[in-house]
Amino acid sequence: MPNQITIIGLGAGDLDQLPLGIYKTLTNAGTVMARTMDHPVIDALLAEGVRFSSFDHVYEAHDQFEEVYKDIVNRLVEEAKKEPVLYAVPGHPLVAEQTVQLLLDLQKQGILTVEVLGGQSFLDPLFTAVGIDPIEGFQLLDGTALKSDDLHMDQHIIIGQVYDGFMASDVKLTLMEKYPDDYPVTIVTAAGSSSQYMKTVPLYELDHGMELSNLTSLYVAPVKEEQAYGEFFKLRQIIAVLRSPDGCPWDREQTHESLKKHLIEEAYELLEAIDQKDIDHITEELGDVLLQVMLHAQIGEDDGYFTIQDVIRTLTEKMIRRHPHVFGDKEAKTADDVRSNWQSIKQQEKGTQQEAPSLLKGKGSGMPALMQAVELQKAAAKAGFDWDDRSGAWDKLEEEWQEFQEEVANGNKEASFKEFGDVLFALVNVSRFHDIYPEEALVSANQKFISRFSFVEKKVLESGRTFNSYTLAELDEYWKEAKNLGL
């Protein structure tokens, strides 16, 4: 039958591991096309007179495995046009065999007829060799495409295709992104066969003169609980426990509303750490902000409204949707282009929802007043309600300042209160025209005041006198000294 390919698995090692039916098929065949001749079963079958042709030479023609596999499949398809093909692969055809998956895709398209006869996978003898029960949870990963994000450290991990020192080095470096350098890993070659090789070494020695081949896999045992503290799943488990009936009374009684002030506090503490350029402090404060996110998400899950997955999914969809220049075919060569695209997409999203009654609705909602003023002014400016240049903003500030002074002189406290608010709002407008974020500027001024006043306190303490014994002029001399020191 033309366009017919029969795929057969050579097992994980010895000829004795082959099922009888597979053995008969191979010995009764004409020429068997093998992905690679580097397999002990092929050596044994050659001795019995079975003829093979292989695709080993294809590996030399390409730099990427993906191209190798595509080339092999194309050659198989061409051969199948002439006569039925018997194609042999190591292990089981449906376990870690990319060429088989490509052939099955062609069958779905109606291009080929594919029959899979099976064969023993390397997994069964490997489970036996390392003594694990896969029902506890395991991952089978490809060493040629290993990413640290793929690793579930709480499960048994088997990594295939660790066939030489270069691949072992790549796998080692990827594992070291999560595991300690001395974490024990086990190298298993030709599992279950008479030539089985198994050795457990510290991770950092993985690429140090080990016996590696195309029959080599790497086994990594699950980590102990404390070694998984850097994993997201562990954080989520901890937050769930804290909110559970047997958890923490304080965490259990929190609501979205009660946590609002804590989120603001943690955000400001993070800003302070950033201003101080203290990396350890930034790391800690980012964790505190993340804690607030996790608590809100757990409350949502406990109430049956949403989970952390919903939060992440919504954010992921938004990032992909609003970055078509990265995940789509739209162009954005500058940061201004990105901002323009972002606003356009954001407006389109709003168009699919109920129209907002005001351009200012929700702008800066929940923010401190200084930050909200910035957001309100930006929204109004986008609608065209803005000064032509900075001189208009300065004139408005001077006008509001005069009105405030007049009300103060009149002794009108309520009017003075309102006019002072207008002064602050006008001052925010000036900062916007000068590309200064007022919240950051005020935080910087606060820190500068703390630093200089602390210097004054130190000087007073060193003098042995009390603050009350100093005149303002004397204290101001210390202040000037602090200023001259750059504090």
Side-chain angles (χ1 to χ4, degrees), residues 9-193:
L10 298 174
D14 291 342
L15 186 62
D16 292 340
Q17 292 179 325
L18 282 184
L20 181 59
I22 299 294
Y23 174 75
K24 287 181 177 180
T25 300
L26 287 165
T27 54
N28 292 330
T31 299
V32 181
M33 302 189 76
R35 178 168 65 77
T36 176
M37 297 291 284
D38 188 13
H39 195 285
V41 167
I42 290 183
D43 293 336
L45 291 172
L46 284 171
E48 295 189 18
V50 179
R51 291 175 296 174
F52 287 91
S53 64
S54 85
F55 295 104
D56 285 324
H57 62 284
V58 177
Y59 286 84
E60 303 298 327
H62 301 282
D63 294 327
Q64 302 293 327
F65 280 107
E66 183 179 357
E67 296 304 317
V68 170
Y69 299 145
K70 288 180 180 179
D71 194 349
I72 290 174
V73 167
N74 290 336
R75 292 169 187 255
L76 286 168
V77 170
E78 290 302 314
E79 287 297 321
K81 290 178 182 179
K82 305 171 189 175
E83 59 181 352
V85 170
L86 181 61
Y87 176 49
V89 297
H92 190 286
L94 296 180
V95 178
E97 276 296 335
Q98 186 61 38
T99 57
V100 174
Q101 295 304 316
L102 293 173
L103 290 169
L104 291 174
D105 286 342
L106 294 177
Q107 178 174 243
K108 291 176 183 177
Q109 299 172 36
I111 297 173
L112 287 174
T113 300
V114 177
E115 181 182 9
V116 178
L117 293 185
Q120 186 184 39
S121 163
F122 71 94
L123 289 175
D124 289 345
L126 194 145
F127 291 147
T128 301
V130 297
I132 65 170
D133 184 350
I135 202 170
E136 296 173 357
F138 83 98
Q139 287 183 278
L140 175 61
L141 301 174
D142 184 352
T144 66
L146 189 65
K147 298 181 179 64
S148 61
D149 287 343
D150 297 333
L151 301 167
H152 294 174
M153 299 175 69
D154 59 330
Q155 296 185 346
H156 300 281
I157 296 178
I158 296 169
I159 303 172
Q161 307 240 57
V162 188
Y163 49 79
D164 62 21
F166 291 109
M167 186 53 58
S169 180
D170 287 344
V171 169
K172 179 186 77 171
L173 293 175
T174 302
L175 290 175
M176 280 182 172
E177 293 180 30
K178 287 196 169 185
Y179 293 85
D181 292 356
D182 59 351
Y183 195 78
V185 295
T186 302
I187 299 161
V188 185
T189 299
S193 71

Side-chain angles (χ1 to χ4, degrees), residues 197-417:
Y197 169 83
M198 189 164 71
K199 185 176 183 180
T200 299
V201 298
L203 178 55
Y204 67 85
E205 290 186 5
L206 177 57
D207 54 350
H208 293 184
M210 301 299 165
E211 295 183 23
L212 307 172
S213 73
N214 66 322
L215 299 179
T216 297
S217 298
L218 185 70
Y219 168 67
V220 186
V223 297
K224 296 178 181 178
E225 182 176 358
E226 63 271 16
Q227 292 174 311
Y229 284 173
E231 297 299 295
F232 181 77
F233 78 86
K234 179 55 64 176
L235 173 62
R236 185 180 181 186
Q237 288 176 0
I238 290 171
I239 300 302
V241 169
L242 291 174
R243 288 273 304 168
S244 72
D246 297 325
C248 172
W250 185 90
D251 289 289
R252 284 202 308 270
E253 70 181 21
Q254 297 311 306
T255 64
H256 292 306
E257 290 72 24
S258 70
L259 288 172
K260 285 168 58 178
K261 61 181 180 182
H262 297 291
L263 178 56
I264 292 173
E265 290 171 1
E266 299 300 354
Y268 273 91
E269 289 177 9
L270 172 60
L271 294 178
E272 180 182 0
I274 292 172
D275 289 337
Q276 294 173 347
K277 295 180 173 56
D278 186 334
I279 300 302
D280 290 338
H281 196 192
I282 291 173
T283 301
E284 180 183 355
E285 296 303 335
L286 279 172
D288 290 342
V289 172
L290 178 58
L291 170 61
Q292 297 302 310
V293 174
M294 297 300 294
L295 283 171
H296 280 286
Q298 190 62 47
I299 291 170
E301 183 170 348
D302 293 342
D303 294 343
Y305 291 115
F306 64 91
T307 69
I308 189 63
Q309 275 78 20
D310 296 318
V311 174
I312 294 172
R313 183 183 303 108
T314 300
L315 176 60
T316 300
E317 290 173 351
K318 180 190 290 185
M319 290 300 98
I320 293 174
R321 188 170 62 248
R322 293 192 182 179
H323 290 82
H325 55 288
V326 177
F327 303 107
D329 55 5
K330 200 173 185 68
E331 287 192 6
K333 296 181 178 179
T334 67
D336 287 338
D337 291 340
V338 173
R339 281 189 286 268
S340 177
N341 288 343
W342 183 282
Q343 291 302 326
S344 176
I345 296 167
K346 191 174 180 180
Q347 192 60 44
Q348 292 172 15
E349 292 171 354
K350 288 183 178 180
T352 62
Q353 305 168 3
Q354 182 178 356
E355 291 298 324
S358 170
L359 291 171
L360 301 183
K361 182 179 180 181
K363 296 299 180 183
S365 178
M367 292 181 178
L370 200 61
M371 297 170 67
Q372 186 181 28
V374 174
E375 296 304 313
L376 292 171
Q377 291 177 12
K378 284 165 57 178
K382 287 176 183 176
F385 190 73
D386 200 10
W387 305 109
D388 292 332
D389 54 45
R390 64 183 63 176
S391 62
W394 276 105
D395 291 343
K396 185 63 176 175
L397 175 60
E398 292 176 7
E399 175 189 323
E400 298 294 356
W401 181 246
Q402 287 295 331
E403 292 177 2
F404 168 66
Q405 289 181 309
E406 290 170 7
E407 296 300 343
V408 170
N410 293 335
N412 191 330
K413 188 171 183 179
E414 182 178 353
S416 298
F417 172 85

